[in-house]
Amino acid sequence: MPLPTDMQCIEISSPGPADVLHPVRRPLPVPGDDEVLIRVIAAGINRPDILQRQGLYPPPPGAPDLPGLEVSGEIVSVGNHESRWQVGQQVCALLSGGGYAEYAVAHEELCLPIPAPFTAIQAAAIPETFFTVWSNLFLHNTLKAGESLLVQGGSSGIGTTAIQLANAMNHRVFVTAGSQEKCQHCLELGAERAINYRDEDFVSEVKALTDGTGVDVILDMVGGDYVQRNIRAAAFRGRIISLAFLKGSKVEVDLMPMMLKQLVLTGSTLRSRPVSEKAEIARSLLDKVWPLLDNGVIAPVIHRTFPLHRANEAHRLVESSEHIGKIVLTAN
């Protein structure tokens, strides 16, 4: 069957609130030499999409201006170079943008097979969070054997992924979350302790859980006043990794404890990394993590799905922080 010449997609008409997301029709994208064209079945929503919509996280040079950093679907066309993928195969893929559409282009090395137990809709929630968590915690042995992990925001897409991966690798996992329901869900995913940040102090709780030594690695998506508190909660030679700043990135911090504890404070983004780095992550995921997904040991957590044309409603739900796990758009 011939491909259509155009497609429905979701455009950001101008920086602003969720209502600036509008369904429009655009020409079908054309895959480059090392790329594939995917008929999108579903697309995951991530916080960077929200920031892009607000005008705070522009696409890197050469990336599509449409939001959407991960999709699942069927390959309908391949580039001119010989590809390991064939038309008709179903994949999930990490993108640099363009996922909120009926068709999207992905680099062939950033496509992965849909794990055996999952539908394409479930698989759309895998790439962005699994690439992010795996590269920051495990790819280069940041979280070493026997060490403990604190996840700030355990009920988020990143959080639910980090809990499962760290638990599967036999690490002690502590998390913070904003309700008893969210805390309970984190415990069910494998967290040893879920701290309700609305009525508990995570610093004192983590210190008590670790006999006063603190936690080895902290994965933080909050920022703001959590920066100083993370330093207090960290163990000697601990690592604090910032992935987002929901409470702001501009803070006044006393760095003396960082020096005395010999801490590492670092940050990470995924979208702007070169394809070669993201391909390395993909290969490692396929080798180390896909067997866990194929066997049902771990799974993406999806809170709700929305049809593509209701992307603005989906964004409002993400911004409410009332969800657990990921929100997914369905294109069909």
Side-chain angles (χ1 to χ4, degrees):
M1 181 181 295
L3 295 175
T5 58
D6 65 357
M7 64 177 185
Q8 185 183 68
C9 56
I10 301 298
E11 190 175 75
I12 301 171
S13 60
S14 61
D19 288 338
V20 304
L21 297 173
H22 292 289
V24 297
R25 298 204 71 83
R26 286 193 181 183
L28 229 62
V30 178
D33 288 341
D34 298 313
E35 296 177 328
V36 299
L37 179 65
I38 299 170
R39 178 181 63 82
V40 175
I41 295 174
I45 294 179
N46 296 280
R47 286 282 177 179
D49 302 343
I50 308 295
L51 294 175
Q52 179 177 338
R53 191 204 74 218
Q54 294 170 337
L56 302 175
Y57 189 45
D65 66 310
L66 300 176
L69 301 177
E70 59 185 347
V71 297
S72 64
E74 178 186 355
I75 294 176
V76 294
S77 178
V78 298
N80 294 324
H81 290 176
E82 184 175 343
S83 174
R84 63 191 181 100
W85 301 105
Q86 297 178 356
V87 171
Q89 287 183 295
Q90 287 202 346
V91 295
C92 57
L94 185 74
L95 312 178
S96 59
Y100 290 17
E102 292 178 317
Y103 292 84
V105 165
H107 195 283
E108 65 169 13
E109 291 193 74
L110 305 185
C111 296
L112 290 161
I114 293 176
F118 307 125
T119 66
I121 291 175
Q122 290 172 301
I126 293 175
E128 175 72 15
T129 56
F130 276 75
F131 271 72
T132 297
V133 172
W134 187 253
S135 63
N136 279 284
L137 294 183
F138 300 103
L139 182 60
H140 299 298
N141 203 30
T142 300
L143 184 60
K144 300 175 177 62
E147 291 190 327
S148 56
L149 171 69
L150 171 64
V151 182
Q152 304 286 19
S155 63
S156 66
I158 292 287
T160 54
T161 301
I163 292 168
Q164 293 183 82
L165 283 173
N167 183 61
M169 303 296 172
N170 299 311
H171 294 278
R172 298 182 73 191
V173 186
F174 316 124
V175 304
T176 59
S179 71
Q180 288 308 118
E181 178 190 7
K182 290 181 177 181
C183 285
Q184 181 58 38
H185 198 93
C186 291
L187 293 173
E188 292 170 1
L189 289 174
E192 177 181 328
R193 176 76 162 87
I195 302 160
N196 188 334
Y197 63 78
R198 298 188 189 278
D199 52 31
E200 298 178 282
D201 174 41
F202 74 80
V203 177
S204 59
E205 291 297 321
V206 164
K207 288 291 187 70
L209 289 162
T210 58
D211 297 324
T213 62
V215 71
D216 297 299
V217 177
I218 299 174
L219 201 60
D220 182 44
M221 291 157 280
V222 181
D225 65 331
Y226 273 43
V227 175
Q228 190 74 66
R229 296 167 71 192
N230 286 338
I231 292 173
R232 289 168 51 206
F236 181 72
R237 290 183 177 168
R239 283 80 70 203
I240 300 170
I241 306 166
S242 294
L243 297 181
F245 299 100
L246 294 180
K247 295 181 71 172
S249 60
K250 295 181 180 180
V251 295
E252 183 174 326
V253 181
D254 178 6
L255 293 178
M256 183 60 74
M258 178 199 71
M259 185 173 69
L260 296 176
K261 288 185 176 183
Q262 300 180 26
L263 303 180
V264 173
L265 275 63
T266 187
S268 174
T269 61
L270 181 63
R271 188 180 193 181
S272 59
R273 295 192 193 191
V275 169
S276 59
E277 288 188 16
K278 289 185 277 192
E280 179 190 8
I281 302 168
R283 290 189 294 270
S284 182
L285 283 170
L286 188 61
D287 180 43
K288 303 293 185 182
V289 176
W290 247 241
L292 300 175
L293 289 163
D294 282 331
N295 294 324
V297 176
I298 58 178
V301 177
I302 296 178
H303 183 85
R304 186 175 171 186
T305 64
F306 288 83
L308 181 63
H309 68 273
R310 291 169 56 191
N312 55 352
E313 296 177 50
H315 270 224
R316 281 194 286 269
L317 178 55
V318 172
E319 290 179 286
S320 76
S321 295
E322 294 176 359
H323 61 293
I324 297 172
K326 297 288 287 288
I327 310 296
V328 171
L329 298 175
T330 56
N332 299 24

